[in-house]
């Protein structure tokens, strides 16, 4: 019997650290096993390769990865990707059709499939999680559940295995899986020593203690929240709907439809209100002229700014300042 064949599926935008995290811990386990003698070393042997149906891969951050052609393996690891609130998930997963097909094909041949973090989205796209229990990052658990209603999600769990398919929670949960894998493959002694050498906690059982509810976006509003954050950070920039749509990798029509569906207003209406909020603060707390305040929130024409400000507050900027200017400023 030869070494266990472990393949990591690399794809555009995947986290490079999640490509190499589990293989690195397996390499450490190999050294620990070798120190325990040739019998244990032979039993623990693993052959790790980074696979892809594509010839070239740029991971998250633009890091290039050397990859090998897809071939049969005993275990296929699917890393996660940069799932920002603004990401068009439909388009992203649609562009990863070759990877989804690879996952499906490997599973059909009897390969054990393991996802890291939001790699569970790819495994679910392949249809492998329907009717199964699974987990993923707590931050995106609601988004996952709404997209894959047939999956029995356990968002409190770090590692879930159901009939040959394993899913893990966010990022560092890849090490929880790796320690568990080493324990099953090489024995508890090798797993315990490897965890101590790597300073990895081998006794975690849940991701619940790490959940911060303040970071969880309101259900169904992830896209608009991302757009709002971008607009808030670019108040001085001229409003440009096509440029805004490109920033979020959607068409102008999709931008208006999705933002309007989640907020009931247009991006321009939100931007104007955000500019007025900022202008009110500047009028209350600084000595800037009205023209200076207007320029600070993206208006070249003070008259236009005054008109927008009056529509939102019922007062012209000078009137507002006279009434609300903070004492001692």
């Amino acid at each position: 019997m030869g070494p266990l064949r472990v393949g990591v599926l690399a794809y555009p935008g995947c986290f490079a650290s999640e490509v190499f995290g589990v293989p690195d811990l397996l390499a450490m386990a190999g050294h620990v096993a070798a120190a325990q003698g040739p019998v244990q070393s032979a039993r623990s042997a693993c052959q790790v390769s980074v696979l892809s149906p594509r010839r070239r891969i740029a991971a998250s951050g633009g890091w290039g990865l050397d990859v090998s052609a897809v071939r049969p393996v005993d275990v296929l690891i699917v890393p996660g990707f940069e799932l920002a609130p603004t990401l068009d998930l439909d388009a992203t997963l649609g562009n990863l059709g070759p990877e989804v097909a690879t996952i499906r094909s490997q599973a059909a041949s009897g390969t054990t499939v393991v996802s890291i973090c939001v790699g569970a989205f790819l495994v679910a796209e392949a249809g492998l999680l329907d009717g199964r229990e699974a987990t993923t990052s707590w931050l995106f658990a609601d988004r996952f559940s709404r997209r894959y209603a047939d999956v029995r999600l356990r968002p409190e769990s770090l590692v879930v295995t159901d009939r040959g398919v394993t899913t893990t929670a966010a990022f560092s949960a890849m090490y929880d899986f790796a320690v568990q894998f080493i324990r099953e493959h090489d024995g508890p002694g090798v797993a315990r020593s490897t965890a101590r050498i790597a300073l990895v906690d081998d006794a975690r059982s849940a991701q619940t203690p790490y959940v911060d509810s303040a970071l969880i976006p309101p259900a169904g509003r992830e896209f608009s929240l991302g757009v709002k954050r971008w607009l808030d950070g670019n108040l001085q920039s001229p409003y440009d709907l096509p440029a805004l749509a490109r920033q979020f990798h959607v068409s102008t029509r999709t931008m208006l439809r999705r933002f309007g569906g989640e907020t009931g207003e247009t991006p321009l209406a939100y931007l104007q209100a955000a500019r007025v909020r900022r202008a009110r603060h500047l009028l209350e707390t600084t000595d800037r002229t009205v023209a200076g305040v207007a320029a600070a929130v993206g208006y070249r024409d003070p008259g236009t700014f005054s008109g927008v400000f009056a529509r939102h507050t019922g007062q012209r900027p000078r009137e507002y300042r006279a009434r609300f200017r903070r004492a001692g400023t």
Side-chain angles (χ1 to χ4, degrees), residues 59-219:
S60 177
W63 298 103
L65 301 178
D66 290 331
V67 295
S68 301
V70 174
R71 57 177 177 269
V73 292
D74 301 305
V75 179
L76 182 70
I77 298 173
V78 182
F81 54 95
E82 192 173 359
L83 182 49
T86 59
L87 184 73
D88 187 332
L89 188 58
D90 289 332
T92 298
L93 294 175
N95 291 333
L96 295 177
E99 286 73 20
V100 171
T102 296
I103 295 168
R104 189 181 296 119
S105 175
Q106 289 278 347
S109 66
T111 297
T112 296
V113 175
V114 180
S115 71
I116 306 298
C117 190
V118 296
F121 281 82
L122 274 75
V123 178
E125 284 291 307
L128 302 189
L129 296 180
D130 290 350
R132 282 184 165 95
E133 291 189 338
T135 191
T136 189
S137 164
W138 60 262
L139 186 59
F140 302 108
D142 181 71
R143 193 170 185 179
F144 184 95
S145 293
R146 284 185 281 111
R147 186 179 182 91
Y148 307 109
D150 292 333
V151 181
R152 301 198 302 275
L153 194 67
R154 289 170 46 190
E156 76 285 354
S157 299
L158 283 168
V159 181
V160 173
T161 299
D162 189 344
R163 289 171 287 164
V165 180
T166 296
T167 50
T168 76
F171 200 76
S172 70
M174 63 182 167
Y175 298 120
D176 296 274
F177 159 73
V179 171
Q180 177 178 304
F181 180 84
I182 294 166
R183 184 181 299 113
E184 296 171 353
H185 185 242
D186 307 325
V190 174
R192 184 166 53 253
S193 296
T194 301
R196 290 180 176 178
I197 291 170
L199 299 182
V200 171
D201 189 346
D202 63 343
R204 294 199 302 177
S205 59
Q207 59 176 319
T208 306
Y210 301 90
V211 175
D212 185 345
S213 58
L215 298 177
I216 301 176

Side-chain angles (χ1 to χ4, degrees), residues 254-265:
T254 298
M255 169 60 69
L256 294 173
R257 176 179 58 80
R258 292 184 64 181
F259 190 88
E262 293 183 13
T263 67
E265 62 182 351

